[in-house]
Amino acid sequence: MTGLFVGPMPPRGFLEAFMRLKILRKLNPEDLPEVDFSEIPLKKLEVEMYQPLCDAINDSGVCSGFKLIDVSSSVDGNGIPLRPDLAFVPTDAEDLMDYTVMECFVEAKLHDLADPFYGNTLNNTIEKMVGESAETRGQTISYAAALLSRQHRTFAFSILVCGKYARFLRWDRAGCIVSDRFDYVEEPDILLEFFWCYARLTREERGFDPTVVPASAAEAKLLSDALSQYIKESQPRNVSYLQPKPDSTYPFSKMLVPTPNGTRELIIGKPFWDADSPCGRATRAYAAYDMVEKKVVFAKDSWRDEDKDILSEAVIYDTLQKSNVPFLPEVIAAGDVYMRVKKKKKFQRTLTQSWAVRSGKAVMWRLPCAELRTLVHCRVVQQLAYPLTSARSSKEAVQAIRDALEAIKVAYHDGKIFHRDISTGNIMISQSGRGVLNDWDHGLRVILRNTLKAYRTGTWQFISILLLQNPLKGHDVHDDLESSFWVLLYVSLHYFKHNQGQLIDLTFFNECKEHHDGEDGDGEVHPLGGLKKSGFLSHRLKHIKWRCAPLNSLIHAFGALLNDYQYYYEKADGNDDKSAEAQFKAIQEQLDQVDIVLSLFDTALASDEWPENDALPDQFPRMTDKQEDQMIHDLKSQAIATAALEKQAAANRRASPISTPTRSALPGVRSSARLVQRRDEQLALTPEAGPSQLLMSSRSTVKRTVDEVPAELPVFRSKRAKTAPERRPLKRAPKPPPPERPVAEHRYPTRSKSNGSRRGNSLKKPQEEDVEMQDVRRRNPSRSRTKSKSKDTRRVQATASEKSTEEKRQTRRKGRQPVKSTAGNGPSRPPPKSSTRRPN
């Protein structure tokens, strides 16, 4: 959203610029009530700021006919999860969260560190891009987008409160104007003046579109009945995007569409296509009821660029019809939206762009990296057609794309206009089963193909490879032809049988990466792509086989032609390869005529091997927001459960098999077994509820028991322990029988008192051997890493080692004092190592 905001400007200048001046002249500062806001910034919690703000504004009496309410925790009857903190609504409205009646919204933060904007211009930058500031900016944008999408507005206001400071914001489709911050505690009259002036503006001056008014119950029933009948007649096509039932989120309205002879009335409800941003073209598509022809029609409401070199969609349709371009939609009415002011037409335009330049003495500010263009409100009404994805057979889909190619050819050669937005949503099917090339609002004159105003546009998934790789490349007819191939491929992979099934990777449609221009560039950030598309044409396409033989042949032939075009373009670009350049120009000339592509389609359509009604349900359906949230929730729950199970399994492998404690033996230490039990109980609930939908206390319990309980539970052991750690037995549990202790081994072998035989390793019991080997390993840790040996081998080696040691000892003793031995007198005692006794 960088480049969306324009500012700052003085708050009083904001009021003077966007409120009626005669109201300000009538307002006497002495008439303003005294309101004390000093306690609000001192709150310790953000939620504690909401009601005091509402009470201070409502009790002041400055907003007659309106009220400020706290909707932060209000249950939204429309199912919209986005809730600002405060909403400014009419007095007769219920104290509930409802975007359809909200006049403006207030977002409050506890301290000024959450302010998403700088106080004054800082290196031509107004937005803070990190931390809590970025989060606040994202919240504000989402609330503005929800408000503008559920109401018919030309602009809207909002207020941002951060600690003791506040700002005014004005939103329209070109951007947002932000005022400088002011201290509403020291200067409360600024905030009061805003609500006083707003409450005295007309509905049009508050930003509501006067060409759209609420529809009556009888008019709403006309639309519902007509839609139900249209859906019934459209079977078995999939037109599930049409909703005949009323939706309280988008109430029924009566819309006026300009015509050469006046206006035309339409009844509209919820759009089946809506924008997700507060700024931009903001295209909304409706299935509307025409009050003149008494039938369902298609209506599009959008904001177009106002430029003398860029034609409006109404002018483009008029030019194409004069050039006899086939397979165009039947246009009923089209034009820019205007209002009658003193018998003159006043067209609806944006104002943000006018505040992004320096003019006179006013303190203005201009974005360094973004161009703010003037947008004009426009509407188009056409005969309703079916989307390409509703084709009942592969032949019907191929025929529709072929008809669109015919329209591209004639528009290019005779009408001198490029379409520039070939997509699955713009190639449609008429009621007779033929193709319709719709949505020419991005159309461009051929003579402007290489001008700076011919910026890249279109639906990202279907833009040509060369345009994705170079955003400054001029548009050409080859780009529209290649886009039609990606449309054919997309529909064929999603709706028709092929050998790859659901295993194929479709990320090449959405590949996108950001490129930052350096000092030699224009300083902008350009999204780039096309690398995966190029790799798909050259390597992966040949491995896909469709069950429908004509469709399979068409896709591979069309793909091979585009692959050759791409190959020779890359080979000739920047090289002196004359042959590659000649091959590229030859293919380019063939594509200029479009006939080579049409011949591929005509050859395929002439085949007798087309199956009937071979369309399948979407094999890669797009998830709704609700389905995506559920998928994320399930993945989180599964990850938490898996991590807990892995930790528990690891703890079980490391735990001692002697005893399993159930309660801590030390006072003040929580039972490890109890923690594990609580963790298991919480994890049993996780797959159904999940941390994100549990109560706050439950979520904290899950986090503590899963994340903070160590995988290896506490083990208490002696500091002298050399072996593997063992768990301490319980005090209450009976003591286990002591293990049989091995016979103590003397350091030096001695003779038996009974028979004088030597006791050594050779006389040890089998169970003593393991004890000795543990002692050996403790003295020499490197021994424990060698391969294990058999018991017999260890016994022989230990005996030989003992004999060798004994022989060495005897040799040393003989050198000092001979050893006397008397048979039958028992073992003789060895002499002392050193004697300090004197002879008697």
Side-chain angles (χ1 to χ4, degrees):
M1 287 296 179
T2 302
L4 179 67
F5 300 96
V6 174
M9 58 183 301
R12 293 195 183 276
F14 185 98
L15 296 176
E16 294 175 1
F18 303 114
M19 303 296 181
R20 291 190 306 175
L21 294 179
K22 60 182 180 181
I23 291 180
L24 289 175
R25 293 192 184 100
K26 291 180 180 180
L27 177 60
N28 188 352
E30 297 179 356
D31 296 337
L32 287 175
E34 294 184 3
V35 179
D36 185 10
F37 294 109
S38 59
E39 295 296 328
I40 296 177
L42 302 179
K43 302 298 182 180
K44 296 182 179 180
L45 296 176
E46 182 180 308
V47 294
E48 298 177 353
M49 301 173 60
Y50 303 157
Q51 196 58 44
L53 271 172
C54 295
D55 295 339
I57 297 298
N58 296 333
D59 296 343
S60 66
V62 296
C63 48
S64 177
F66 298 91
K67 61 182 177 180
L68 190 65
I69 60 175
D70 177 7
V71 295
S72 60
S73 59
S74 173
V75 178
D76 184 7
N78 299 327
I80 303 175
L82 296 172
R83 295 183 182 90
D85 297 330
L86 309 177
F88 195 61
V89 298
T91 305
D92 56 353
E94 298 182 5
D95 292 352
L96 296 175
M97 175 63 209
D98 191 353
Y99 277 108
T100 61
V101 299
M102 186 185 301
E103 293 278 339
C104 61
F105 63 88
V106 180
E107 182 65 14
K109 295 299 178 182
L110 195 60
H111 49 78
D112 58 345
L113 296 177
D115 191 349
F117 311 108
Y118 292 104
N120 296 302
T121 55
L122 180 63
N123 297 327
N124 289 334
T125 303
I126 185 176
E127 302 176 54
K128 298 179 183 178
M129 307 301 295
V130 295
E132 191 176 354
S133 301
E135 181 180 353
T136 304
R137 185 181 67 254
Q139 286 181 316
T140 308
I141 293 174
S142 62
Y143 302 149
L147 175 64
L148 293 176
S149 68
R150 286 160 180 82
Q151 297 183 13
H152 295 273
R153 292 268 201 159
T154 56
F155 62 89
F157 291 105
S158 69
I159 301 176
L160 179 63
V161 176
C162 296
K164 66 175 183 178
Y165 297 102
R167 295 179 186 271
F168 301 124
L169 292 85
R170 181 190 182 276
W171 305 83
D172 65 16
R173 297 303 182 178
C176 178
I177 302 175
V178 183
S179 76
D180 199 355
R181 72 179 188 178
F182 61 95
D183 190 337
Y184 66 92
V185 176
E186 299 294 333
E187 298 179 290
D189 56 323
I190 297 179
L191 190 60
L192 296 178
E193 282 182 12
F194 175 85
F195 288 106
W196 192 92
C197 294
Y198 190 94
R200 286 155 180 78
L201 296 176
T202 64
R203 183 176 177 84
E204 178 183 340
E205 291 168 337
R206 298 199 304 268
F208 289 92
D209 187 352
T211 64
V212 180
V213 296
S216 64
E219 293 170 337
K221 189 175 185 304
L222 290 175
L223 174 60
S224 298
D225 294 343
L227 277 176
S228 300
Q229 183 65 26
Y230 179 83
I231 295 173
K232 183 178 180 180
E233 295 175 352
S234 301
Q235 299 299 330
R237 293 185 186 275
N238 181 18
V239 289
S240 58
Y241 55 91
L242 300 178
Q243 297 182 3
K245 296 182 180 180
D247 189 338
S248 58
T249 307
Y250 297 87
F252 289 102
S253 304
K254 182 188 298 185
M255 175 187 289
L256 299 180
V257 181
T259 63
N261 300 325
T263 58
R264 199 179 189 107
E265 289 187 350
L266 302 178
I267 308 300
I268 59 174
K270 180 180 180 179
F272 60 82
W273 175 262
D274 197 358
D276 56 357
S277 172
C279 305
R281 302 182 67 86
T283 300
R284 288 187 278 193
Y286 299 90
Y289 182 78
D290 189 350
M291 298 292 288
V292 176
E293 297 190 5
K294 308 297 181 182
K295 66 177 183 180
V296 178
V297 295
F298 169 77
K300 183 174 69 173
D301 182 271
S302 63
W303 294 74
R304 69 173 183 86
D305 291 340
E306 185 181 45
D307 195 303
K308 61 180 181 180
D309 294 328
I310 299 179
L311 303 177
S312 66
E313 191 171 6
V315 175
I316 289 177
Y317 278 126
D318 184 63
T319 303
L320 296 177
Q321 290 175 356
K322 292 179 180 179
S323 302
N324 298 321
V325 178
F327 305 111
L328 294 176
E330 182 180 347
V331 180
I332 299 175
D336 296 335
V337 181
Y338 62 88
M339 300 169 290
R340 291 285 183 180
V341 179
K342 297 180 180 180
K343 298 182 180 181
K344 293 183 179 180
K345 292 182 179 180
K346 180 182 178 181
F347 292 95
Q348 296 181 357
R349 292 181 174 87
T350 58
L351 294 179
T352 301
Q353 72 285 341
S354 62
W355 294 87
V357 295
R358 297 188 177 275
S359 175
K361 297 181 181 180
V363 179
M364 304 299 179
W365 180 80
R366 180 176 179 81
L367 297 169
C369 302
E371 178 186 358
L372 294 183
R373 301 182 298 271
T374 302
L375 302 181
V376 181
H377 200 185
C378 62
R379 295 183 178 126
V380 177
V381 182
Q382 305 168 350
Q383 295 291 346
L384 200 61
Y386 303 114
L388 181 63
T389 55
S390 68
R392 291 172 289 189
S393 65
S394 53
K395 184 176 183 179
E396 187 177 48
V398 170
Q399 182 67 60
I401 297 176
R402 191 266 174 209
D403 294 339
L405 288 170
E406 181 74 20
I408 291 173
K409 173 187 174 181
V410 180
Y412 171 60
H413 289 288
D414 298 340
K416 305 300 180 182
I417 292 177
F418 296 128
H419 187 279
R420 296 204 308 161
D421 191 16
I422 305 297
S423 66
T424 55
N426 295 338
I427 298 179
M428 309 192 74
I429 302 175
S430 65
Q431 295 184 355
S432 62
R434 298 303 295 267
V436 174
L437 185 55
N438 197 12
D439 286 344
W440 288 80
D441 51 348
H442 289 290
L444 183 71
R445 293 176 179 176
V446 173
I447 58 175
L448 300 175
R449 70 176 74 186
N450 292 319
T451 61
L452 294 178
K453 295 179 181 180
Y455 51 88
R456 180 178 60 189
T457 187
T459 305
W460 184 267
Q461 289 83 355
F462 311 109
I463 297 178
S464 67
I465 295 174
L466 296 183
L467 282 177
L468 290 176
Q469 294 177 345
N470 182 12
L472 301 180
K473 172 188 174 299
H475 195 92
D476 215 327
V477 68
H478 322 113
D479 301 309
D480 284 343
L481 297 181
E482 185 178 335
S483 295
S484 65
F485 168 79
W486 297 117
V487 169
L488 173 64
L489 180 66
Y490 181 92
V491 173
S492 301
L493 290 173
H494 277 256
Y495 296 96
F496 303 111
K497 188 71 175 180
H498 52 81
N499 62 345
Q500 299 292 324
Q502 296 182 346
L503 301 178
I504 188 172
D505 182 15
L506 301 181
T507 56
F508 63 90
F509 281 109
N510 301 314
E511 177 201 6
C512 180
K513 60 181 180 180
E514 291 185 350
H515 173 71
H516 298 260
D517 282 346
E519 297 179 357
D520 297 336
D522 54 6
E524 294 189 12
V525 178
H526 299 286
L528 301 180
L531 184 61
K532 289 186 177 181
K533 281 186 176 180
S534 179
F536 181 88
L537 285 178
S538 58
H539 299 292
R540 295 176 55 194
L541 178 59
K542 59 185 177 183
H543 298 292
I544 306 177
K545 305 295 181 184
W546 280 265
R547 176 175 295 182
C548 176
L551 177 65
N552 184 70
S553 301
L554 173 62
I555 294 177
H556 284 87
F558 198 175
L561 177 63
L562 295 177
N563 186 41
D564 292 342
Y565 176 78
Q566 182 72 19
Y567 171 77
Y568 287 113
Y569 172 82
E570 295 177 353
K571 192 174 182 181
D573 186 24
N575 299 322
D576 295 332
D577 193 340
K578 300 298 183 181
S579 61
E581 186 176 355
Q583 290 283 353
F584 171 74
K585 290 183 178 181
I587 299 176
Q588 188 178 35
E589 291 176 358
Q590 291 177 334
L591 292 176
D592 279 339
Q593 300 302 319
V594 191
D595 292 333
I596 186 174
V597 179
L598 289 175
S599 63
L600 296 177
F601 278 81
D602 293 337
T603 302
L605 291 171
S607 174
D608 297 332
E609 301 180 16
W610 290 97
E612 295 183 0
N613 300 327
D614 59 335
L616 302 173
D618 192 351
Q619 302 179 73
F620 308 92
R622 297 180 60 182
M623 292 185 296
T624 61
D625 293 341
K626 185 176 181 180
Q627 292 173 339
E628 185 177 354
D629 293 341
Q630 183 64 34
M631 181 197 68
I632 295 174
H633 165 263
D634 293 341
L635 290 176
K636 288 182 178 179
S637 302
Q638 183 180 2
I640 293 175
T642 303
L645 292 176
E646 290 178 353
K647 291 180 181 179
Q648 182 63 27
N652 293 338
R653 288 193 299 267
R654 291 190 293 265
S656 172
I658 295 179
S659 62
T660 303
T662 58
R663 185 175 181 180
S664 176
L666 298 180
V669 179
R670 184 172 296 180
S671 168
S672 302
R674 181 56 181 164
L675 288 176
V676 174
Q677 181 182 357
R678 291 183 61 186
R679 177 171 59 188
D680 294 339
E681 292 174 355
Q682 295 292 348
L683 290 175
L685 299 175
T686 300
E688 297 180 1
S692 61
Q693 296 185 9
L694 294 176
L695 297 176
M696 183 59 66
S697 59
S698 301
R699 279 206 302 268
S700 60
T701 303
V702 172
K703 179 175 179 56
R704 182 176 64 252
T705 56
V706 173
D707 298 337
E708 298 183 4
V709 175
E712 184 178 358
L713 300 178
V715 175
F716 305 96
R717 60 179 179 174
S718 173
K719 295 182 178 180
R720 297 182 179 180
K722 300 291 186 179
T723 58
E726 298 180 359
R727 295 181 182 275
R728 292 189 60 180
L730 296 176
K731 289 185 177 181
R732 296 187 304 170
K735 294 183 179 181
E740 184 177 357
R741 299 183 64 182
V743 179
E745 177 188 358
H746 292 280
R747 185 174 182 85
Y748 301 104
T750 59
R751 291 184 182 274
S752 174
K753 293 183 179 180
S754 60
N755 55 11
S757 61
R758 296 181 182 275
R759 292 185 299 172
N761 291 335
S762 60
L763 299 179
K764 287 183 180 180
K765 297 180 181 181
Q767 61 267 25
E768 300 175 19
E769 299 171 3
D770 295 336
V771 178
E772 180 181 356
M773 291 307 298
Q774 292 178 5
D775 295 338
V776 173
R777 293 191 183 98
R778 284 196 295 270
R779 292 194 300 269
N780 186 9
S782 61
R783 292 285 302 273
S784 63
R785 294 191 293 269
T786 59
K787 295 183 178 179
S788 62
K789 301 178 181 180
S790 64
K791 293 182 179 180
D792 296 337
T793 303
R794 295 197 301 268
R795 185 183 302 114
V796 172
Q797 292 179 352
T799 304
S801 176
E802 184 66 24
K803 289 182 179 180
S804 177
T805 304
E806 177 63 20
E807 290 175 357
K808 293 179 180 179
R809 291 197 189 101
Q810 293 294 341
T811 302
R812 289 195 299 268
R813 290 172 184 173
K814 289 179 181 180
R816 292 196 301 263
Q817 184 177 351
V819 179
K820 297 181 181 181
S821 177
T822 303
N825 294 333
S828 61
R829 296 180 180 178
K833 297 182 179 180
S834 62
S835 178
T836 59
R837 296 176 61 184
R838 295 181 180 179
N840 296 330

